[in-house]
Amino acid sequence: MKSLRDGLKYFAYAIKSGLTTNVFNSNQLIHLYVKRGLIREAHKLFDEMPNRNVFTWNAIINGYVKARDLMQAQLLFTASPCKDSVTYNSMLSGYIDTQGYESDAVELFRQLQSQNHDARIDEFSLTLMLNLASKLGALIYGNQLHCYMVKTANNLSHFAVSSLIHMYSKCGCLLEAWKVFDGCPNGIYDLVSKNAMMGACIKGGELEMASELFWSRPELHDHVSWNTMISGYAQNGYEEEAIKLFKLMADEGYKWNEHSFASVLTACSSLKSRELGKQIHARALREGIITNPFISNGLVNVYSKCGDMKYAELVNATLGGENIFAAVSMIVGYSAVGNMLKAQQLFDSLAEKNLIVLTAIISGFLKSRQCENVFRLFRDLIQTNAVVPDTLILAGLLGACALGALIDPGKQIHAYLLRMGYMMDEKIISTKVDMYAKCGNINYAQRIFQKISQKDTVLYNIMIGGYAHHGFIYEAFQLFHEMKGKGVQPDAITFIALLSVCRHRGLVEMGETYFLSMTEEYEIQPETDHFACMIDLYGRANQLDKAIAFMGKLPVEEDAVILGTFLNACKSNKNVELAGAVEEKLLQIEGRNGARYVQFASIYALEEKWDEMGRIMKQMREKEVKKTTGCSWIHIGERVHTFTSSDRSHSEIDAIYFVISCLIQELDAIRLTEERILEESQC
DNA sequence: CTAGGGTTAG
């Protein structure tokens, strides 16, 4: 009586023949119903049974556990007149894999320990509880279970070994896991324990160890062994190895399943290989397992990472209904190509939102410099979903504060982090320093920065950039010196910061030295932003000839950033002819950017070329492009004071301009002194 | 009738 069909046939036959149905057969039938997910039928039979025994009760309780109806299982458990170890274990298993019932599991296990009933703790209960410890990362609890197992000789089976390895691995104790594995009775371990140990090595970052184990006993290989190894490589930056093993797996006669595909797709997305992704896509179609959500999500992720949103949308549409994993991938994809409208639409369409999807869209808005949207989204989601933000979300909010120069909200978030006792990792610390620097409070930034013992490149970059932003040239250069002294490697961003200092202070020679040192001393290839810095440096120093010569030697195609910077150089050097010469090229690349037309118009206006100016503005109108007006703002108390160019609408405008003129005088005085010091120090 | 290993997103 293996299948439900056979069971029912036999049962019907028994009734027809006038035989009384016995408890054993009915129990078996309940079990078969449960296996097929037919819990209502199982319960009906259970109700109709004149006699029940402990097996009957266990079968129906297990049925409700498998149907994830814990309330009903609990009711039956309480009602059952006869409970043995299996009854307890079934209930335990239900509690353990249902979110929110963990403490019930612990309580039931405690009851099991008391001796007032027929049930006893056995190996089943212990492996179940080890699972709970793994799930919660409760090392102390797991350790106690381990001790109990040793004391009661319940630590010797393969089940015990694999569960213990898994528990120690999940709790981050690779060494303990290894001790269990190594201490297997008579040194004999089974396939599952070997796979568990491989998984533990991978989680502990010991890929070599895992690989050695994998190849050590090929007779103990199964799908899981291959998939464990493939995912291990894929998740630890060994994409090529993962792909190699994926191929080898099939060559060795092991059929790919959804796990194999999901892992190899992770490797494709890290490599941003659209081609490989398409090949895997084709394979999955051929294997007929494309409908598996792990595989479809993986494909959406690969296409999104490669910026191929058409294909990502295509695969996503086949998912039928929303999927948060695919949605996150796509939001990241849209953000990368700057399409925040699509990202927002997708986000809004989601019925279920979590912290991960929120972080994804926040990062997108930050990339597109839309800080208001960050706060709006955060407020909406926090209010309606009562979620607790994590450090990644808070870092996103700090980023938005930095973008909007919002020091007060920034301080509030900082205080919230401290008050709630969040772990301050490198990421959140750097974001905090950056926020204070960008909000104009370089002193706070400096104070936090100085207290950090282990400073990395990112943090140095932020602080050097902060000093650059505030015009603290000595501090910036000195910090660069300190960085080198401490053996922290500068990167491309470091040099953007250094070149920014130079260009804002007209330090042409120093800029040239830094620029050359990039390739000659640090083997860092300069990119668009570095080239733009140099052009700007020459432009601001009124050395347009040098800028032109520099442009002539560029190893890359002139893009909008470079041409736009050159245009500014033309403007400050009042060279309308040169500006006119790049007009066609720049508008061809960025004809949709209204700011470019305004840029040209202002140059023509400066030299009173009114015809040229009229022509460019007409062109702008015809193309129906817009430029948002540049604006400055400051928060004072509850009020935001905004200013646009030559805007005199503020009620205190005369006082404001008076203070500005005083500040300019002071700045000029400071600059003269600094320049003299600099000249003397260079002598 | 109850228990062990591998898969997706910030």
Side-chain angles (χ1 to χ4, degrees):
Chain A
M1 207 155 95
K2 282 269 165 58
S3 71
L4 183 60
R5 177 196 277 266
D6 290 344
L8 286 170
K9 248 194 227 162
Y10 184 86
F11 204 67
Y13 177 77
I15 293 168
K16 264 195 229 161
S17 319
L19 295 167
T20 39
T21 55
N22 67 32
V23 184
F24 177 81
N25 286 336
S26 300
N27 289 348
Q28 194 65 15
L29 202 54
I30 289 180
H31 174 65
L32 291 170
Y33 276 133
V34 165
K35 246 169 82 179
R36 292 283 297 268
L38 303 167
I39 186 68
R40 290 169 62 115
E41 286 77 359
H43 201 141
K44 191 157 175 279
L45 180 57
F46 175 82
D47 282 341
E48 287 164 354
M49 283 169 70
N51 301 306
R52 300 174 189 132
N53 61 16
V54 64
F55 289 88
T56 324
W57 285 92
N58 289 347
I60 193 71
I61 290 169
N62 180 49
Y64 278 107
V65 165
K66 290 278 137 66
R68 314 213 126 260
D69 186 347
L70 269 261
M71 300 295 278
Q72 201 47 247
Q74 217 164 11
L75 283 175
L76 286 159
F77 179 82
T78 315
S80 171
C82 42
K83 299 187 191 76
D84 64 358
S85 295
V86 177
T87 328
Y88 275 86
N89 292 338
S90 297
M91 204 57 224
L92 266 183
S93 121
Y95 284 147
I96 287 164
D97 24 80
T98 312
Q99 219 41 260
Y101 282 87
E102 292 82 0
S103 51
D104 297 86
V106 177
E107 178 51 34
L108 193 63
F109 187 69
R110 220 199 311 270
Q111 284 175 30
L112 195 51
Q113 276 175 295
S114 73
Q115 310 266 310
N116 318 329
H117 41 64
D118 300 332
R120 292 286 167 268
I121 291 176
D122 61 8
E123 224 192 328
F124 286 77
S125 344
L126 287 162
T127 46
L128 278 164
M129 291 308 284
L130 278 176
N131 255 349
L132 179 65
S134 311
K135 184 178 156 190
L136 301 174
L139 178 61
I140 296 170
Y141 200 73
N143 218 331
Q144 285 177 355
L145 287 164
H146 188 184
C147 293
Y148 185 93
M149 288 165 80
V150 172
K151 216 160 65 181
T152 55
N154 273 314
N155 62 328
L156 303 167
S157 78
H158 291 319
F159 281 94
V161 169
S162 58
S163 302
L164 280 166
I165 292 171
H166 187 68
M167 184 275 294
Y168 280 121
S169 163
K170 269 282 165 64
C171 296
C173 303
L174 177 56
L175 198 67
E176 291 302 315
W178 182 261
K179 278 188 200 159
V180 173
F181 180 69
D182 203 39
C184 271
N186 308 318
I188 298 165
Y189 53 84
D190 77 337
L191 174 61
V192 178
S193 298
K194 176 184 150 174
N195 289 339
M197 196 59 231
M198 278 167 50
C201 293
I202 288 163
K203 193 173 169 292
E206 299 287 346
L207 270 282
E208 282 281 330
M209 226 163 125
S211 161
E212 220 169 276
L213 207 54
F214 175 71
W215 293 111
S216 67
R217 304 264 306 270
E219 75 280 7
L220 280 185
H221 269 177
D222 70 351
H223 285 88
V224 179
S225 327
W226 285 92
N227 292 335
T228 305
M229 232 23 243
I230 294 171
S231 87
Y233 281 132
Q235 285 166 356
N236 287 279
Y238 299 94
E239 289 82 14
E240 306 291 349
E241 288 294 321
I243 292 158
K244 223 166 77 188
L245 215 58
F246 178 78
K247 287 180 187 154
L248 194 61
M249 177 180 179
D251 291 344
E252 300 268 320
Y254 291 88
K255 212 167 142 48
W256 293 318
N257 67 8
E258 63 273 25
H259 293 268
S260 338
F261 276 102
S263 296
V264 80
L265 284 170
T266 305
C268 293
S269 91
S270 307
L271 292 172
K272 294 196 187 209
S273 171
R274 185 175 167 280
E275 270 321 297
L276 208 56
K278 284 188 92 169
Q279 285 182 33
I280 305 289
H281 192 169
R283 292 283 180 140
L285 280 167
R286 206 187 313 164
E287 301 285 332
I289 49 173
I290 190 80
T291 48
N292 179 283
F294 284 96
I295 297 175
S296 326
N297 291 341
L299 285 168
V300 172
N301 187 33
V302 173
Y303 288 127
S304 300
K305 275 266 162 54
C306 299
D308 188 343
M309 296 315 290
K310 278 274 158 298
Y311 261 75
E313 283 164 13
L314 213 73
V315 179
N316 186 52
T318 66
L319 279 165
E322 81 177 45
N323 184 297
I324 192 103
F325 287 89
V328 170
S329 300
M330 290 182 68
I331 286 171
V332 173
Y334 285 132
S335 302
V337 297
N339 193 346
M340 288 317 291
L341 210 66
K342 279 270 192 186
Q344 171 89 66
Q345 278 171 3
L346 183 56
F347 181 84
D348 289 340
S349 76
L350 294 173
E352 294 270 336
K353 298 180 179 81
N354 61 18
L355 284 183
I356 296 175
V357 69
L358 183 62
T359 315
I361 194 157
I362 285 178
S363 309
F365 280 129
L366 289 180
K367 212 171 285 171
S368 297
R369 313 181 64 82
Q370 303 178 19
C371 65
E372 338 64 63
N373 278 326
V374 172
F375 293 115
R376 180 180 53 76
L377 266 184
F378 179 72
R379 254 195 307 268
D380 290 354
L381 204 73
I382 291 291
Q383 275 169 8
T384 53
N385 295 38
V387 287
V388 180
D390 61 6
T391 52
L392 275 170
I393 298 280
L394 294 167
L397 293 177
L398 283 174
C401 294
L403 264 181
L406 301 161
I407 185 121
D408 285 337
K411 278 183 183 170
Q412 286 171 23
I413 295 162
H414 184 182
Y416 179 78
L417 277 160
L418 292 170
R419 197 167 65 234
M420 304 299 281
Y422 280 90
M423 282 287 286
M424 301 285 190
D425 55 14
E426 286 107 337
K427 162 106 181 137
I428 192 94
I429 292 170
S430 337
T431 323
K432 233 161 46 184
V433 173
D434 193 44
M435 183 275 292
Y436 281 120
K438 292 231 166 75
C439 290
N441 199 329
I442 194 79
N443 291 334
Y444 274 22
Q446 197 175 23
R447 228 185 291 170
I448 300 170
F449 178 81
Q450 280 166 350
K451 267 196 269 176
I452 301 157
S453 48
Q454 287 290 326
K455 301 184 183 84
D456 60 4
T457 304
V458 174
L459 194 57
Y460 271 109
N461 289 350
I462 285 170
M463 201 60 220
I464 294 174
Y467 281 139
H469 199 74
H470 287 79
F472 292 152
I473 52 174
Y474 305 110
E475 286 82 353
F477 294 144
Q478 203 195 326
L479 204 56
F480 178 59
H481 189 71
E482 179 192 311
M483 179 180 183
K484 284 192 297 183
K486 293 211 171 144
V488 181
Q489 275 302 314
D491 65 7
I493 313 283
T494 319
F495 283 93
I496 301 272
L498 291 169
L499 293 176
S500 297
V501 182
C502 298
R503 72 193 169 112
H504 283 125
R505 300 306 288 265
L507 305 170
V508 175
E509 278 174 35
M510 208 167 216
E512 285 173 336
T513 311
Y514 277 129
F515 183 77
L516 280 179
S517 76
M518 284 182 71
T519 40
E520 288 175 0
E521 213 178 309
Y522 301 99
E523 293 177 358
I524 300 166
Q525 280 309 312
E527 288 162 33
T528 296
D529 290 333
H530 302 95
F531 299 135
C533 273
M534 290 307 286
I535 295 163
D536 193 59
L537 171 68
Y538 292 132
R540 284 169 190 260
N542 293 321
Q543 300 184 7
L544 196 57
D545 46 335
K546 277 202 174 180
I548 296 164
F550 188 84
M551 295 270 285
K553 286 187 297 188
L554 282 184
V556 293
E557 190 74 17
E558 292 168 352
D559 65 5
V561 176
I562 290 172
L563 289 171
T565 311
F566 181 66
L567 201 55
N568 279 339
C570 295
K571 186 180 172 187
S572 48
N573 289 271
K574 301 194 167 43
N575 193 324
V576 184
E577 285 74 33
L578 272 176
V582 296
E583 188 193 296
E584 195 185 323
K585 198 167 188 178
L586 181 52
L587 291 185
Q588 200 184 353
I589 303 173
E590 254 197 352
R592 302 299 314 161
N593 185 349
R596 298 303 181 200
Y597 296 87
V598 175
Q599 217 179 341
F600 280 110
S602 73
I603 294 174
Y604 296 138
L606 207 67
E607 293 295 293
E608 299 181 346
K609 306 269 186 195
W610 306 118
D611 294 347
E612 293 288 295
M613 182 187 142
R615 180 180 56 78
I616 203 95
M617 291 312 280
K618 187 166 166 249
Q619 207 177 327
M620 182 177 171
R621 271 195 305 277
E622 281 167 0
K623 293 221 175 147
E624 293 180 340
V625 293
K626 295 231 158 42
K627 177 187 182 305
T628 44
T629 313
C631 122
S632 309
W633 64 93
I634 185 164
H635 295 253
I636 298 172
E638 294 289 297
R639 249 192 91 184
V640 186
H641 304 256
T642 48
F643 305 90
T644 54
S645 174
S646 59
D647 170 8
R648 299 192 60 89
S649 62
H650 196 278
S651 56
E652 306 280 342
I653 198 69
D654 291 331
I656 290 169
Y657 273 108
F658 177 71
V659 173
I660 288 175
S661 67
C662 293
L663 287 173
I664 289 172
Q665 275 178 19
E666 260 181 61
L667 281 172
D668 281 341
I670 292 169
R671 190 184 311 152
L672 283 175
T673 323
E674 280 193 350
E675 269 165 19
R676 206 173 50 237
I677 296 170
L678 198 67
E679 262 170 39
E680 282 165 9
S681 72
Q682 279 173 342
C683 281

